[in-house]
Amino acid sequence: MPYSPDHKPKTRLKIIRSAAKLFKTVGYENVTIDQVMANAGLTRGGFYAHFKNKEDLFVATVDSGINLLSEPILSRLRKAEKFGLDWTTAFADLYLSNQHLNHPGKGCALPTLSTEVARSGERAQKAFSKVIRGACGRLAGKLALEERGIAPMTREEADEWFENPPLDEISKEYRINATAMLSMMVGAMVLGRAVDDETAELILSSVRKTVPRLKSPQKSGTDAAL
């Protein structure tokens, strides 16, 4: 019996979802094609009907919109927003928590993937750059929304806003601040997982206190050329 016309795209999506979960849990370098296919309930032979290699799969995973944050963290952020709490502080507290530190498989993909993609091919690096720029764009849009009452943005609008911010210095500074915030938090998580508990707590607590200070653009002193 022949397959239905939507069988191939459905199978491809199944493989991508399986890979996204594994990439976030154990990292890009540690994932094998066999693991991806087994996790998807498929055989290895079917992989090459959809992808050339693991790098090709990673690019497709990024293009499909890999979720950086787990649903529990997103849910708690939505709750903080609903009750009028400071979103930036809530985000820093959740991201830089011991729970996130000790459960990388349930947290953000960036600390897990960053060092490994750096050793990968050019296509994977370009795809990962797209993830970073998109995340910074959405964070910048969020800061602008909270501080200046800018209308909520879709994911696509936030990505475009990051690449081509409005032509005023304040908007550019949101982009700069968002990039700094994300870099600090991801870097803190990478370092925190590599050191002892006491040093990890020092790193996380220091960044937790610093990140909220970046949410409002400084009216002077920021290089607008970035």
Side-chain angles (χ1 to χ4, degrees):
M1 184 176 180
Y3 289 122
S4 63
D6 63 350
H7 174 76
K8 186 169 183 177
K10 282 185 175 180
T11 301
R12 177 183 171 87
L13 182 59
K14 195 173 184 179
I15 296 170
I16 288 174
R17 287 175 174 170
S18 171
K21 181 179 179 180
L22 290 171
F23 288 150
K24 286 184 64 176
T25 303
V26 298
Y28 175 73
E29 288 294 331
N30 294 325
V31 174
T32 67
I33 292 173
D34 286 338
Q35 288 173 322
V36 171
M37 297 304 282
N39 186 58
L42 301 167
T43 60
R44 180 188 175 94
F47 177 86
Y48 296 99
H50 303 274
F51 307 99
K52 296 178 181 178
N53 49 40
K54 191 173 75 169
E55 184 179 50
D56 192 35
L57 171 60
F58 180 76
V59 173
T61 302
V62 170
D63 287 341
S64 73
I66 186 172
N67 291 320
L68 299 180
L69 297 176
S70 65
E71 183 54 38
I73 289 181
L74 291 173
S75 178
R76 291 172 70 181
L77 284 173
R78 286 192 290 265
K79 188 174 182 179
E81 189 172 30
K82 179 180 178 181
F83 286 98
L85 301 177
D86 182 78
W87 188 91
T88 307
T89 300
F91 183 34
D93 287 346
L94 286 169
Y95 195 99
L96 299 165
S97 66
N98 287 326
Q99 182 178 8
H100 188 194
L101 181 77
N102 297 321
H103 299 90
K106 297 180 180 179
C108 177
L110 297 184
T112 306
L113 295 177
S114 296
T115 55
E116 295 179 344
V117 175
R119 297 190 293 268
S120 303
E122 183 179 355
R123 288 188 69 217
Q125 291 177 14
K126 285 184 176 180
F128 195 58
S129 297
K130 179 180 177 181
V131 171
I132 299 294
R133 295 176 73 85
C136 290
R138 288 185 287 280
L139 181 54
K142 181 64 180 176
L143 295 178
L145 170 64
E146 284 215 328
E147 293 292 302
R148 302 184 69 197
I150 293 176
M153 301 179 188
T154 65
R155 183 172 187 156
E156 291 74 19
E157 288 171 339
D159 289 350
E160 175 60 26
W161 191 89
F162 180 79
E163 296 294 340
N164 300 288
L167 296 178
D168 65 81
E169 299 308 315
I170 298 298
S171 295
K172 291 179 181 179
E173 289 185 20
Y174 281 119
R175 183 178 67 168
I176 293 168
N177 287 4
T179 303
M181 288 171 68
L182 186 68
S183 300
M184 289 173 65
M185 290 192 290
V186 172
M189 195 55 58
V190 171
L191 291 177
R193 288 172 180 162
V195 297
D196 59 51
D197 292 346
E198 182 179 358
T199 308
E201 179 52 35
L202 174 62
I203 293 169
L204 297 186
S205 62
S206 298
V207 178
R208 274 198 300 268
K209 293 175 182 177
T210 303
V211 164
R213 300 174 190 171
L214 293 174
K215 73 175 185 176
S216 299
Q218 302 299 312
K219 296 187 188 300
S220 62
T222 303
D223 183 1
L226 293 178

